[in-house]
Amino acid sequence: MSTPLEYIQARQDEFKEQLFQLLRIPSISADAKYKKDVHRAAEFVAGQLKHIGLDNVSVEKTDGHPIVLGDHLHAGPDKPTILIYGHYDVQPPDPLEKWETPPFEPTVRDGKIYARGASDDKGQMFTHIKAIESFLKSGTELPANIKFIIEGEEEIGSPSLVPFLASNKERLKCDMVLVSDTAMFAKDTPSITYGLRGLMYIEVEVTGPNRDLHSGVYGGGVQNPANALCEMIVKMKDENGVIQIPGFYDRVRPLSELEREAYAKLPFDQDAYNRELKIEEAFGEKGYSTLERVSGRPSLDVNGIWGGYLGEGAKTVLPSRANAKISARLVPDQDPKEIFRLMEKYLHEIKPPGVEIQVTEHHGGHPVLVDLAFYGLKAAAKAFKDVYGKEALFAREGGSIPIVADFAKTLNATTILMGFGLNSDSIHSPNEHFHLKDFERGMKTSARFFELL
Ligand code: BES
Ligand code: MN
Ligand code: MN
């Protein structure tokens, strides 16, 4: 008989091969062309849940992509019930030509698995499936009741999962949620994420004259929508990186002295950060450190901007329209809907004469902070310590997992964010990868976490 950790140790190749099968499925949730593949990925995950011995495995139809469920509720009512969440959908792989090996042909190089979704989130999600398998197949009693919920729409804002939670409260009832979809603080430096930012995302269309115009014949006499859009974007932040939308900061919970001290103690190397990004210097809201700026404070960025002539050479044209995608990362207690209204109002106020604007909202999400006193975090920290041989840090992160706020609101459950990825894994970018070592340690940390509960 082997222990769960021995079981995992002995099956590294087998688990890697199984993960590869999932990584080969291009489950791109944002692109309707891949709908069949997204379904195939859901079926594959369900197959895995059945294979490891879970009960009630189902692929739940939704208005969008399916949700995969499965459970193992045999530990008894005095034992905690853990809901394990992850997502099997991935971001589009573009730009394709920047990949050294194709995004859906997983390859190992220098101890890393290269594939879209390797780190976000197929590889990380898989660690928990294998951890549970290590109990069920090694004949070790699982010291907790387990429910899995793996969705296929995280990368598009979880539109189906939000209502699904609300209408399946009893079925998903749990004492805590466990998620591995974040990053560790640094290589070989495990950390528990206790804060995620929220998101508000808009698209602005600026329209001017009824057609593209000759910039010599009309230039100087007509408002240029591209210029007008840039003018508006400039007015969104001042030179100190402070967002200028009236009311934007009203609900921002200030960082306490205690929290700022904790931020300052984290082993962050500003020079290494600059070097890795090939930037002369960092930039952000005056008065805050980089770590504070990217996780404890809100931010606002243009994600895309276009209009006018984008082809080769010079075309003398005054465009009739210009567009931008703009998003803000939010911190507690900002509300994405409210920030959208403030932003829309401000854009109409600062709109220059001679153009019209239309503002539309994309999916967003609420920010979260996890209560550091929650008992489950102790088991998570100890599990990290036992497997990585290093004390886990506690850190906030700048990314968003919108459904985590719903776990708190709808299921009244605290989420443990136990990430095994790294910020350098290039998630959402070309050449996304996941360190094999972290895949292995992730499975072991998850198994150890259940042992400790
Ligand atoms: N796993 C990420 C979120 C993340 C990444 C959190 C790194 C912390 C560290 C997730 O899949 C993601 O990409 N979320 C989106 C939000 C969504 C609404 C598209 C994001 O943060 O942009
Ligand atoms: Mn993710
Ligand atoms: Mn993602």
Side-chain angles (χ1 to χ4, degrees), residues 87 120 154-155 157 181-183 196 199 329 363 397 399-402 427-428:
H87 63 94
D120 183 14
E154 196 278 342
E155 300 292 7
D181 193 22
T182 50
L196 291 169
L199 180 69
R329 294 286 170 169
H363 58 73
E397 281 199 90
S400 312
I401 308 174
I427 65 171
H428 297 203

Side-chain angles (χ1 to χ4, degrees), residues 85 87 89 91 119-121 124 153-158 180-183 193 195-199 201 329 363-365 397-402 417 422-423 427-428:
Y85 164 83
H87 63 94
D89 65 320
Q91 286 275 335
S119 176
D120 183 14
D121 178 46
Q124 295 211 58
E153 297 187 324
E154 196 278 342
E155 300 292 7
I156 54 171
S158 306
S180 292
D181 193 22
T182 50
T193 302
L196 291 169
R197 291 198 287 186
L199 180 69
Y201 202 120
R329 294 286 170 169
H363 58 73
E397 281 199 90
S400 312
I401 308 174
L417 296 158
L422 289 172
N423 283 330
I427 65 171
H428 297 203

